[in-house]
Amino acid sequence: KCYVTGILIACNVITFLYLEIVGSSQDVRFMAESGAVFAPAVIYEKEYYRLLTAIFMHFGIDHIINNMIVLFALGDNLERALGHVKYLILYLACGVGSNLISLLMGGSDSMIVSAGASGAIFGMVGGLLTAVLKNKGRLEDLNIRQLAFMVALSLYLGFTESGVDNAAHVSGLILGLIF
């Protein structure tokens, strides 16, 4: 059974609902106060926990639905391939790592507030790509062509929409391939 994927989805949904109850997930100031990545807070106030908490925060219902659909659709494949602990470590490491890389690319004085599971999810996709390649182009019901198409489409959509943290997406994918 792939229970880690379910727990991750539950954590994201519970966090989203909590943020909506006590404020608004679409209020940038509220999200920054609640633990999203905000460069001055991380760098000058040393609030490093934000690199982790932001993985479970989302800006609006569309943001969380899109991320949770991908996590639900692909997470169990990677969890079965890696095992529960390695899968969780990969997910969290890619999420924190992609947030850190995005933060560093934005600079210490960046006033951008970022949140979302996308970096972790792109890391998971990178891990899936590696697992599929190691298994001669196929892993359960996934093949390299399907994953490559999904990655290309996701990156394209990210680069053509505003307000998307493409640095987190690309770095998450690369970290997933490496880890």
Side-chain angles (χ1 to χ4, degrees):
K1 291 215 169 195
C2 297
Y3 59 86
V4 175
T5 298
I7 290 170
L8 289 171
I9 291 170
C11 288
N12 278 282
V13 170
I14 289 167
T15 301
F16 179 78
L17 293 174
Y18 170 77
L19 292 171
E20 285 299 314
I21 290 168
V22 300
S24 171
S25 65
Q26 296 193 30
D27 180 345
V28 175
R29 181 179 300 251
F30 171 73
M31 293 292 278
E33 292 168 355
S34 299
V37 175
F38 181 56
V42 175
I43 295 169
Y44 301 121
E45 303 297 321
K46 301 187 183 346
E47 296 177 358
Y48 305 119
Y49 66 88
R50 291 172 176 271
L51 299 172
L52 176 65
T53 56
I55 298 170
F56 298 97
M57 301 172 71
H58 292 82
F59 287 102
I61 191 77
D62 291 343
H63 190 204
I64 191 167
I65 287 174
N66 291 338
N67 280 339
M68 294 306 102
I69 286 172
V70 176
L71 181 56
F72 177 77
L74 299 177
D76 61 332
N77 293 82
L78 188 60
E79 187 174 349
R80 280 192 295 277
L82 294 180
H84 308 301
V85 174
K86 288 180 184 176
Y87 169 71
L88 179 61
I89 291 169
L90 175 75
Y91 184 88
L92 295 174
C94 289
V96 170
S98 64
N99 281 339
L100 178 61
I101 291 168
S102 175
L103 175 107
L104 295 173
M105 290 181 72
S108 62
D109 294 326
S110 173
M111 299 307 284
I112 295 171
V113 176
S114 65
S118 303
I121 291 171
F122 268 92
M124 183 189 69
V125 172
L128 269 173
L129 281 168
T130 301
V132 168
L133 289 171
K134 285 186 175 186
N135 286 290
K136 298 179 175 90
R138 190 162 213 58
L139 179 68
E140 296 179 5
D141 56 342
L142 296 174
N143 64 48
I144 195 70
R145 189 175 301 156
Q146 293 168 318
L147 284 173
F149 177 75
M150 193 203 82
V151 168
L153 181 62
S154 296
L155 290 174
Y156 170 77
L157 292 173
F159 281 107
T160 57
E161 293 180 19
S162 62
V164 175
D165 189 351
N166 290 303
H169 291 182
V170 173
S171 62
L173 180 66
I174 293 168
L175 289 171
L177 288 165
I178 293 169
F179 293 155

